[in-house]
Amino acid sequence: MSAYEGKRAVVVGGTHGMGLGVVEALVDGGARVVLTGSNEKNLEEVRGRLGTAVRAVRADVTDPADTDALAEEVGAELGGIDLLHVNAGTSEIAPFEEVTEESYDRMFAVNTKGAFFTVRRLAPLLADGGAVVFTTAVTNVTGTPGMSVYTGTKMAVLGFSRVLASELLPRGIRVNTVAPGFVETPSMGVAGITQGQREEFMRIGNEATPMGRHGTVAEVARAVLFLGFEATFTSGAELLVDGGMGIGLSTSI
Ligand SMILES: NC(=O)c1ccc[n+]([C@@H]2O[C@H](COP(=O)([O-])OP(=O)(O)OC[C@H]3O[C@@H](n4cnc5c(N)ncnc54)[C@H](OP(=O)(O)O)[C@@H]3O)[C@@H](O)[C@H]2O)c1
């Protein structure tokens, strides 16, 4: 029997990058998957790539009507959820003196309010004994310059996850977060990044990571699926998947 045969999963932000890595691992393991994204072109690409193995739904996490429609669709398609992975996120990098209210609102709308109300709306569909895995970031522990608002958005998600871990405990639902470091994805998690900026970001990331390299989407997917299905005595935790960056691993004394 395949690893996830009979499991029902929803990946919010599953059209590219780490979310797509999780989707592909779930499909390989035999799970039934609903994935979302806000951009129809990206959804079409996933449909072309994975065909009927998944249901790809356009749902913008900042739009309550989309989230309501997603819940209806998930109910009809899967009947319940064993793993809800809330991965959609974006960042805009700027020193805090240069942050605009518009940029602040955009990041909080997607990363924080979107994540919270997605779980609130889908929670009735979660199966008893199921799991929620949010995506935060290593910046929750590093204090990285230029990422003040982004870090605020992800620290809030960490806070939600801990309280939800308590509130969903009576239903046997575990709630955890995965906190990636530098991971190679099309956007590197940064809105509107150019190819040149992406290469520079990767170079900086490789140098700043104690393991001397960026992570892969497959490495993050393994952590998400561990928290989702195997970490049966773990709830309210944040798992760093960061090549040792968060705690500052070093070989010098
Ligand atoms: N890459 C990194 O180095 C890194 C490091 C730490 C943390 N992270 C976090 O990890 C997560 C994934 O990052 P990634 O690099 O894989 O990013 P990505 O490739 O840009 O993927 C983001 C996913 O979220 C979806 N999304 C974005 N805005 C959305 C919205 N308003 N409504 C619904 N879906 C939306 C995107 O789909 P559409 O484009 O179709 O909307 C896509 O499926 C994010 O939460 C990010 O903050 C990334």
Side-chain angles (χ1 to χ4, degrees), residues 12-26:
V12 176
T15 51
H16 47 89
M18 294 184 228
L20 180 58
V22 173
V23 167
E24 291 185 324
L26 284 163

Side-chain angles (χ1 to χ4, degrees), residues 31-226:
R32 290 160 60 208
V33 182
V34 172
L35 68 92
T36 75
S38 65
N39 181 312
E40 189 56 48
K41 182 175 153 286
N42 295 335
L43 289 157
E44 265 311 306
E45 273 178 34
V46 176
R47 290 182 193 114
R49 186 168 166 153
L50 297 174
T52 54
V54 296
R55 181 136 182 87
V57 179
R58 204 206 65 79
D60 187 327
V61 293
T62 67
D63 184 340
D66 281 6
T67 307
D68 283 349
L70 173 66
E72 293 299 319
E73 194 136 358
V74 168
E77 181 75 19
L78 302 179
I81 306 171
D82 299 299
L83 170 62
L84 172 57
H85 179 34
V86 184
N87 169 71
T90 188
S91 72
E92 299 174 29
I93 300 174
F96 90 97
E97 297 93 338
E98 293 172 19
V99 171
T100 63
E101 275 190 57
E102 291 76 15
S103 169
Y104 181 103
D105 288 344
R106 272 195 299 273
M107 280 188 268
F108 267 93
V110 176
N111 299 0
T112 310
K113 189 174 177 186
F116 183 86
F117 284 98
T118 297
V119 177
R120 186 172 180 270
R121 185 65 183 82
L122 294 182
L125 290 167
L126 282 165
D128 291 355
V132 179
V133 179
F134 290 100
T135 305
T136 56
V138 68
T139 46
N140 275 1
V141 288
T142 53
T144 305
M147 307 207 80
S148 54
V149 177
Y150 177 73
T151 302
T153 68
K154 294 294 192 179
M155 286 294 279
V157 171
L158 178 62
F160 297 157
S161 72
R162 290 181 178 161
V163 176
L164 296 186
S166 294
E167 293 192 11
L168 293 174
L169 196 58
R171 293 174 55 196
I173 295 167
R174 295 173 303 102
V175 182
N176 292 291
T177 68
V178 65
F182 280 88
V183 176
E184 182 172 14
T185 67
S187 74
M188 300 298 291
V190 180
I193 199 168
T194 65
Q195 189 54 31
Q197 288 168 330
R198 184 175 175 279
E199 279 161 22
E200 179 61 3
F201 206 56
M202 296 263 289
R203 189 189 62 72
I204 293 168
N206 293 346
E207 274 176 15
T209 302
M211 286 189 188
R213 66 172 179 89
H214 54 267
T216 67
V217 294
E219 287 171 318
V220 178
R222 282 200 290 277
V224 170
L225 294 172
F226 168 73

